[in-house]
Amino acid sequence: MKKHWLLGIVTILILSLVTACSSGKGGEGASSSAPAASGKGGSKKELNILMETVPDTEMVQKVTEKFTQETGIKVNIEAVNYASMHEKLVPQLLGATSSYDLIVVDNYWVGEFTDAGWLEPLDSFIKRDKFDTSVYLKSMFDMVGQVEGTTYMLPFYNYAMALIYRKDVFEDADLKSKYQAEAGKELKIPDTLEEYVNISKFITKQKGESMYGSVMMGLRPDPISVEWLNYLYSSGGDFYNGDNTLRINDDKAVKALELYVDNMKNAAPKGAAGFGFDEAFNVFAQGNAASFITYNWMLPKLQNAAESKVAGKVDIASVPGGTSLNGGWGWAIPKNAEDKEASWQYLKWIESFDAAKERALLGGSPTRKDVLADSDVLGQFPHYVKVQKILEASKMIPIIPQAPQLIEILGRELSEAVSGGKSPKDALDTVAKDVGQLK
């Protein structure tokens, strides 16, 4: 998930030159294209949406055919890779009108997009049509729903992280006996990160290069950052204190990075410091790792025998320590969309219970509590009981306009610690200094 943060700097320069109607932050030109929640039906008969090329987008495309049949409104979904999305969106959001009637917003961009005034507030639509937002998990709605009391998005899908592990390895009688003898405790899914690292090292020592205790992804900036944040949050650490002073280099954060470096060096495959998501997934899917801290929606892929040699042998659990990194996307209407009523008509349809349930049954990643608890959905994906608990306890990255730059800084310094170029303390001190200077 490469972030084009340099483009954000360019955007700021452009914003200082364009008129208020171009920026969409309260300017007359941006708000006059369609009055919000006017009560009038939208007139557009064709909607354009920009989305990421991911499985959930394919599921949206499938169910959207029903919307067209019911309303006569054609929906064109343009799916592009993540790296292209931000650079395609910004020029559209800066213009007097946007060619996109709806967009999906990654949680990384929430601070930037809302601060710039690029998203249409949805509260008047929600109130008028009595759309119930209480059905969303609070952790999702707080991340890709509302910002400072205003609703700008409806949560689209979650990608909270979790521990995916090999059941057969943790139930292996020989390994359990040896671990009991060596550690004086039962080999089981660990409760703490320190125990997790010790178990990972034990499995690696017992299995050699045929199986590593943990496959990791140390590629900078995103893979290593999102992976380590699970260590940070599950260690009780965070970026900021309650008064917004930085604490990213406190004792808990340093301990979290020490454990991460230990696991990378002593329990992960050689070369893992350069692994991205695909490389780590392939190692686990080939049966060469006992555990993987990754996105929860990967479990169905790993249970698919066409994609994985470990199908039927894997399960999901909370990240040891209990608090994982949350992640997700939200549906939004651009402030400069041509016909906001038509956009809202689709948005409330695609996020209705029936459409959300149908997407979930196709393998989507729900954000609604009622969908996660639905008997039909649980009958097909029983692990959603665990996923809901993981989501409820998860934490997000800070919602600030400079979130992409924050991840760049963090990824750079975590890599320095893994390579031995800096101590964990020195690396995090640099993170604190550089993040503190973000404007």
Side-chain angles (χ1 to χ4, degrees):
M1 293 191 298
K2 183 179 180 182
K3 300 297 183 293
H4 299 269
W5 65 271
L6 287 175
L7 185 57
I9 298 173
V10 176
T11 299
I12 293 170
L13 294 174
I14 295 172
L15 282 169
S16 68
L17 298 174
V18 297
T19 62
C21 67
S22 295
S23 71
K25 195 165 187 175
E28 293 180 3
S31 60
S32 62
S33 59
S38 66
K40 300 176 181 178
S43 60
K44 286 195 75 174
K45 293 302 180 184
E46 190 166 337
L47 299 175
N48 298 313
I49 308 176
L50 181 68
M51 303 182 73
E52 186 190 11
T53 306
V54 291
D56 275 77
T57 295
E58 297 175 10
M59 296 157 199
V60 168
Q61 289 171 319
K62 291 178 181 177
V63 303
T64 293
E65 295 174 5
K66 291 184 178 180
F67 174 79
T68 300
Q69 293 168 2
E70 293 174 12
T71 65
I73 299 174
K74 181 181 179 182
V75 179
N76 304 310
I77 295 177
E78 179 185 353
V80 300
N81 63 51
Y82 185 91
S84 301
M85 287 192 70
H86 192 275
E87 63 189 44
K88 286 182 72 72
L89 279 174
V90 170
Q92 291 291 327
L93 297 170
L94 281 167
T97 59
S98 170
S99 62
Y100 298 118
D101 300 286
L102 289 120
I103 60 174
V104 289
V105 181
D106 187 21
N107 62 279
Y108 275 36
W109 309 333
V110 169
E112 176 191 3
F113 285 18
T114 56
D115 187 67
W118 291 339
L119 306 182
E120 176 72 15
L122 302 177
D123 294 289
S124 53
F125 291 109
I126 290 167
K127 181 179 180 180
R128 183 194 71 196
D129 294 349
K130 297 180 174 59
F131 186 91
D132 185 7
T133 59
S134 69
V135 298
Y136 291 107
L137 286 158
K138 185 177 186 301
S139 64
M140 295 301 302
F141 198 68
D142 287 347
M143 179 176 63
V144 284
Q146 64 178 3
V147 177
E148 296 181 355
T150 298
T151 305
Y152 292 99
M153 297 155 286
L154 296 182
F156 166 35
Y157 80 90
N158 83 78
Y159 60 85
M161 301 186 80
L163 179 71
I164 292 180
Y165 66 95
R166 288 274 300 273
K167 293 186 295 182
D168 57 328
V169 174
F170 279 84
E171 294 167 1
D172 182 271
D174 184 53
L175 279 179
K176 290 176 78 71
S177 176
K178 289 178 179 177
Y179 188 74
Q180 181 70 45
E182 181 175 308
K185 59 179 69 175
E186 179 187 3
L187 176 64
K188 62 180 181 62
I189 300 304
D191 297 318
T192 67
L193 281 169
E194 191 163 10
E195 187 179 3
Y196 172 58
V197 173
N198 287 336
I199 289 173
S200 296
K201 291 193 292 186
F202 168 79
I203 292 172
T204 303
K205 182 177 69 175
Q206 293 295 320
K207 296 291 187 177
E209 295 187 0
S210 65
M211 178 177 292
Y212 296 89
S214 176
V215 62
M216 300 174 70
M217 45 187 192
L219 185 68
R220 58 185 275 191
D222 288 71
I224 191 171
S225 295
V226 299
E227 186 172 63
W228 178 72
L229 286 174
N230 293 277
Y231 285 66
L232 176 69
Y233 292 154
S234 283
S235 296
D238 208 331
F239 279 95
Y240 296 99
N241 292 302
D243 59 0
N244 286 328
T245 57
L246 281 160
R247 56 168 295 195
I248 191 64
N249 57 337
D250 66 9
D251 290 345
K252 290 182 178 179
V254 172
K255 179 64 174 178
L257 186 48
E258 289 172 346
L259 288 170
Y260 183 84
V261 172
D262 188 9
N263 212 29
M264 180 71 79
K265 289 184 174 180
N266 300 305
K270 294 175 182 177
F275 282 4
F277 173 78
D278 289 339
E279 293 87 353
F281 173 82
N282 289 335
V283 169
F284 194 91
Q286 290 296 314
N288 300 128
S291 67
F292 185 16
I293 292 178
T294 187
Y295 306 110
N296 73 85
W297 55 264
M298 293 311 304
L299 185 65
K301 287 178 67 68
L302 289 164
Q303 295 284 39
N304 183 350
E307 298 185 71
S308 169
K309 292 183 177 179
V310 296
K313 300 178 181 179
V314 291
D315 204 349
I316 195 169
S318 298
V319 172
T323 308
S324 63
L325 175 66
N326 200 5
W329 292 74
W331 295 102
I333 301 174
K335 186 76 173 179
N336 58 355
E338 183 181 355
D339 187 341
K340 299 185 184 76
E341 283 290 344
S343 298
W344 171 250
Q345 185 177 359
Y346 175 80
L347 181 50
K348 68 178 180 180
W349 184 91
I350 194 66
E351 277 303 314
S352 66
F353 173 79
D354 289 343
K357 175 180 174 178
E358 186 174 355
R359 284 157 40 203
L361 289 171
L362 289 170
S365 300
T367 58
R368 293 178 56 128
K369 292 177 287 188
D370 50 0
V371 173
L372 280 164
D374 182 81
S375 59
D376 294 331
V377 174
L378 287 176
Q380 191 165 333
F381 302 107
H383 71 283
Y384 279 165
V385 172
K386 297 177 183 178
V387 168
Q388 180 165 345
K389 292 179 180 178
I390 290 167
L391 282 164
E392 288 170 343
S394 63
K395 296 182 69 171
M396 59 189 171
I397 65 169
I399 295 181
I400 57 175
Q402 305 87 357
Q405 295 97 304
L406 181 151
I407 294 297
E408 291 279 350
I409 293 167
L410 183 62
R412 182 193 71 213
E413 295 304 316
L414 294 176
S415 294
E416 284 288 320
V418 167
S419 69
K422 291 183 179 180
S423 69
K425 174 62 174 170
D426 288 343
L428 293 177
D429 283 345
T430 304
V431 172
K433 176 177 71 69
D434 289 357
V435 170
Q437 293 173 350
L438 289 176
K439 299 297 182 183

